[in-house]
Amino acid sequence: MKTPQRLALRGDLLDFTSTPGWAELDSPAVRFRPDHWLLIEDGRITGTQASEPDASWQREDHQGKLILPGFIDTHVHCPQLDVIGSYGTELLDWLNTYTFPAECRYADPAVAKRGAVRFLDALLAHGTTSAVVFPTVHKVSVEALFEAAGERGMRLITGKVLMDRHAPDGLRDDVLQAERDCIDLIDRFHAKERLAYAVTVRFAPTSTPEQLAMAGALCRADASLYMQTHVAENRSEVAWVAELFPTARSYLDVYALEGLLHERAVLAHGIWLDEEDKRQLAASGAQVAFCPSSNLFLGSGLFDWPAARAAGFQVSTASDVGGGTSLSMQRNLLDGYKVQALAGHRLTAWVALHGATRAAAEGLGLSREIGSFDAGTLADVCVWDWARGPVAEARHEVARELHEKVFAWMTLSDERNLVSAFVAGQPRYVRQSIVVPQH
Ligand SMILES: [Zn+2]
């Protein structure tokens, strides 16, 4: 029998065993094991212990550092790294002015490949080891992402963006060609290694009813496919959808009527939903990706997380770059705190970090693979400095309670705190150098 590859990481281990209660500072869902060793065999977590493991283990000592499960970004656009931080527009103008021109360039396979590699290495350098990603309408942009994620061993969910109207030349498909491209991509990439296909409707306005019906048929034909789209992000967008789909009860209902609302669906934003929408979301098992930095930057609105809790649908957290302003999950969680504060709610570090780890994994049906340090999950693990620089260091020193420490970390840290990122037990990012994957 082959000897297993054994790796042990020492540090302060933090993850979640269940969903923390809203506004609960001392939560039984929080699993904090200070100064423990995380044991990894052949890329999987096998356990933890307080004592140093024997010499059969390769030991990496990160004593005094914070070790978390790799973050899961449930909504992010690969080609939009090129337009992050674009000035002065709301959603619909922002798409036309900045985003669509950037996405046109991904028709070129060389641009798509370079973009995919840069994007995934940037995710890893921000401590994000899994993601649900929008590429572009071009088949080559999907191939490039799947191939680059495969080379890095990453959990990646993506699919060709569907849009056959209300988009410029070079960014529209048609129903038949789009269907052929989807089927070919599903055959080649879905459920291979850690890759999965998502039927990817950009948003209701850019697909004809015929194309939405085709997308729904793909989902019905294979229940293992994911679905990703946007919903109820901005008030002008919601009004436009009401004009385009006069027979649907609501924006969300456009998707529900076509069979696109199911337990493997990830809907970004969900700010302008009514009570019936919230009931429908909870009944479907779909999750909403809360994208706070994007919602603030584009002035879209304030997502009501406690209302989502009350309705009973799953919420995960996401960057939505390039509407979002950083791939750093801490930056986005901090913006999430501010969004909730503006609405009179208090977001704990526990609910926020759970949203970027275990909640996302559960929403995707992947909690046996990612999102925690449960034995048997793949070792997607990040090591972080608790504090960097004199201000954060001083704050960390005076923090007494665990929540106080972790909340200060969430508020004051970013990707510069990342020491290393492991994907299935392999180092894929080490500070100041990216480990080039083996071909
Ligand atoms: Zn988006």
Side-chain angles (χ1 to χ4, degrees), residues 126-164:
H126 286 75
T128 296
T129 49
S130 298
V132 185
V133 182
F134 269 65
T136 66
V137 72
H138 313 102
K139 193 178 179 186
V140 291
S141 74
V142 192
E143 293 166 333
L145 261 178
F146 273 136
E147 283 163 9
E151 286 165 4
R152 285 157 183 75
M154 289 172 78
R155 163 53 69 178
L156 187 94
I157 299 170
T158 190
K160 190 200 106 67
V161 176
L162 298 169
M163 44 184 187
D164 64 348

Side-chain angles (χ1 to χ4, degrees), residues 48-331:
T48 62
Q49 61 187 50
S51 57
E52 183 170 357
D54 65 37
S56 69
W57 296 81
Q58 180 201 329
R59 285 157 292 183
E60 270 195 33
D61 191 341
H62 297 290
Q63 191 182 24
K65 300 200 184 298
L66 174 64
I67 302 186
L68 293 173
F71 288 132
I72 305 163
D73 190 339
T74 53
H75 182 74
V76 58
H77 298 253
C78 167
Q80 293 181 15
L81 271 191
D82 294 341
V83 296
I84 190 170
S86 292
Y87 172 76
T89 51
E90 286 199 356
L91 174 67
L92 300 175
D93 286 339
W94 178 82
L95 284 173
N96 289 317
T97 311
Y98 301 114
T99 304
F100 287 160
E103 293 191 8
C104 279
R105 295 195 283 275
Y106 276 66
D108 178 345
V111 171
K113 189 171 170 35
R114 261 201 318 275
V117 164
R118 185 184 43 166
F119 171 75
L120 293 178
D121 285 341
L123 285 184
L124 293 169
H126 286 75
T128 296
T129 49
S130 298
V132 185
V133 182
F134 269 65
T136 66
V137 72
H138 313 102
K139 193 178 179 186
V140 291
S141 74
V142 192
E143 293 166 333
L145 261 178
F146 273 136
E147 283 163 9
E151 286 165 4
R152 285 157 183 75
M154 289 172 78
R155 163 53 69 178
L156 187 94
I157 299 170
T158 190
K160 190 200 106 67
V161 176
L162 298 169
M163 44 184 187
D164 64 348
R165 64 170 172 174
H166 299 137
D169 291 348
L171 275 190
R172 287 188 310 275
D173 54 15
D174 62 62
V175 177
L176 280 180
Q177 185 60 46
E179 185 177 31
R180 277 197 294 271
D181 287 352
C182 289
I183 290 169
D184 178 58
L185 290 164
I186 291 165
D187 282 349
R188 286 162 54 208
F189 296 106
H190 181 57
K192 307 278 160 62
E193 300 169 344
R194 302 182 70 188
L195 311 176
Y197 195 85
V199 173
T200 301
V201 174
R202 173 166 222 122
F203 68 149
T206 45
S207 285
T208 58
E210 294 72 29
Q211 188 171 60
L212 293 175
M214 181 275 283
L218 288 174
C219 289
R220 274 192 287 269
D222 182 350
S224 71
L225 293 173
Y226 289 91
M227 196 287 294
Q228 60 174 339
T229 192
H230 299 85
V231 72
E233 176 175 0
N234 161 296
R235 275 177 288 195
S236 313
E237 171 210 20
V238 173
W240 191 24
V241 171
E243 268 171 47
L244 292 170
F245 299 92
T247 57
R249 197 199 64 78
S250 68
Y251 188 164
L252 185 76
D253 196 42
V254 173
Y255 301 135
L257 289 170
E258 295 298 353
L260 292 163
L261 192 62
H262 52 72
E263 62 179 10
R264 292 165 88 86
V266 183
L267 298 109
H269 308 297
I271 295 167
W272 306 99
L273 300 171
D274 64 20
E275 293 311 306
E276 180 55 28
D277 288 333
K278 289 172 195 164
R279 270 193 292 277
Q280 212 170 1
L281 268 172
S284 70
Q287 69 174 306
V288 165
F290 172 35
C291 309
S293 76
S294 171
N295 298 160
L296 291 171
F297 188 70
L298 296 177
S300 302
L302 307 176
F303 174 72
D304 190 341
W305 198 334
R309 280 263 175 132
F313 62 87
Q314 186 70 285
V315 176
S316 54
T317 50
S319 70
D320 192 28
V321 160
T325 49
S326 176
L327 289 175
S328 160
M329 203 51 78
Q330 295 99 300
R331 292 272 182 106

